[in-house]
Amino acid sequence: MAVHETTENTKTTAATAATAARTPNRGLRWLRRHIITIAGLCTLGYLILPNIVVMVFSFNKPNGRFNYQWQRFSTDAWSDPCGVADLCGSLGLSLQIALWATIGATVLGTMIAFALARYRFRARSGVNTLIFLPMAMPEVVMAASLATLFLNMGIQFGFWTILIAHIMFCLSFVVTAVKARVMSMDPRLEQAAQDLYASPVQTFLRVTLPIAAPGIASGALLSFALSFDDFIITNFNAGSTVTFPMFVWGSAQRGTPVQINVIGTAMFLVAVLCVVVGQLAGKRRKRS
């Protein structure tokens, strides 16, 4: 009887030890399977944290000029987002410049991308190098160079100098996005359209352009974001013109109004809405 109890105790002890040994292994296996997901969520949280802070402080009512410490909840800034002088004027100017810069950079960049991807010509490698220079060059160098160019040409600083400068540095990003899309296209699709007696214009509009549309759209969205957000190049070439980033920089020295957080929150929500709509539209196309 004693021998039987000893055997049972030994089995119980061995099973407990085996379970204890398996428990860390299960935890390690779970961690290894989900480590990429955890790292991605942590990175996403780190990137979104400033936006959350901006959203929270858009409902703050500070006692003084500086909106850096939470005082009390208020919706006054949301009810009057243009309550600060020249805020909405600078915002409208930035949106206008970003829109026209996006149109100009997208049209020119798309044509350049098709030329570089489809045709062979002299100095093609040199053009490729020049296209990538604005992306690799520090903004302050490009800003000073453009300012020098405008001064030597006698062009007055203002709306048009900002627009020209924005088109020039947005052009590289559009060319890169569209060129990558065009080079991945299957040329047999266009050849099949031509075999079916489609004219060059019909082939471009019905085959080439729809396939290249995602690259064109991504380049356009990137151009709009870069143009609206730019400060360094704009500051060198603006003269007395004040865009929204310049207004934010100037007001930060005197005291940042809550309305700036309201505008930032609204733009962040609009961007998130555009991404969600795009994802839903993509899923619907896949289902159909």
Side-chain angles (χ1 to χ4, degrees):
M1 187 69 178
V3 174
H4 179 71
E5 291 180 354
T6 302
T7 304
E8 291 295 331
N9 293 334
T10 303
K11 292 181 179 179
T12 303
T13 304
T16 304
T19 303
R22 285 197 303 268
T23 302
N25 293 334
R26 290 179 181 177
L28 289 176
R29 286 198 299 269
W30 183 89
L31 183 61
R32 289 173 182 173
R33 287 198 303 268
H34 299 86
I35 185 64
I36 297 179
T37 304
I38 295 173
L41 292 175
C42 292
T43 304
L44 184 63
Y46 177 76
L47 294 175
I48 294 180
L49 182 60
N51 297 307
I52 297 176
V53 173
V54 170
M55 294 174 66
V56 171
F57 277 85
S58 67
F59 295 98
N60 186 29
K61 189 171 184 179
N63 294 328
R65 296 180 302 170
F66 298 96
N67 186 27
Y68 300 146
Q69 293 182 353
W70 179 264
Q71 300 295 333
R72 57 188 180 276
F73 180 85
S74 175
T75 58
D76 293 343
W78 282 93
S79 61
D80 189 17
C82 296
V84 180
D86 297 330
L87 173 60
C88 287
S90 62
L91 176 62
L93 180 62
S94 289
L95 291 174
Q96 185 179 0
I97 292 174
L99 178 62
W100 286 110
T102 300
I103 294 174
T106 302
V107 173
L108 294 175
T110 300
M111 292 190 293
I112 295 174
F114 271 94
L116 292 175
R118 293 293 183 83
Y119 301 99
R120 305 290 178 181
F121 53 89
R122 290 183 178 180
R124 181 171 176 267
S125 58
V127 173
N128 273 316
T129 304
L130 291 176
I131 288 296
F132 285 101
L133 275 180
M135 301 174 61
M137 185 185 302
E139 284 194 27
V140 66
V141 175
M142 186 175 182
S145 301
L146 287 170
T148 303
L149 175 64
F150 294 141
L151 285 173
N152 290 332
M153 295 181 64
I155 300 176
Q156 185 178 1
F157 289 109
F159 176 87
W160 292 107
T161 55
I162 298 174
L163 180 59
I164 294 172
H166 283 202
I167 291 176
M168 290 187 67
F169 78 80
C170 289
L171 193 64
S172 300
F173 297 92
V174 177
V175 172
T176 302
V178 178
K179 183 183 175 183
R181 183 68 177 179
V182 172
M183 293 184 68
S184 64
M185 292 172 54
D186 190 353
R188 292 176 295 182
L189 298 174
E190 296 174 313
Q191 295 172 3
Q194 294 171 1
D195 291 340
L196 296 173
Y197 303 102
S199 64
V201 176
Q202 290 176 331
T203 302
F204 178 79
L205 294 178
R206 296 188 179 184
V207 179
T208 308
L209 188 60
I211 297 176
I216 298 174
S218 61
L221 292 175
L222 185 59
S223 296
F224 185 88
L226 291 171
S227 175
F228 181 85
D229 184 60
D230 182 76
F231 171 77
I232 298 177
I233 296 177
T234 304
N235 191 35
F236 271 76
N237 300 276
S240 60
T241 305
V242 179
T243 60
F244 183 70
M246 296 177 65
F247 179 87
V248 174
W249 177 78
S251 63
Q253 301 177 5
R254 303 184 301 269
T256 306
V258 185
Q259 283 79 358
I260 290 180
N261 296 66
V262 173
I263 299 299
T265 301
M267 297 192 65
F268 173 73
L269 294 178
V270 169
V272 172
L273 180 62
C274 292
V275 173
V276 172
V277 171
Q279 293 293 329
L280 293 177
K283 290 182 179 180
R284 182 174 296 181
R285 289 177 183 176
K286 290 180 179 180
R287 292 177 182 176
S288 61

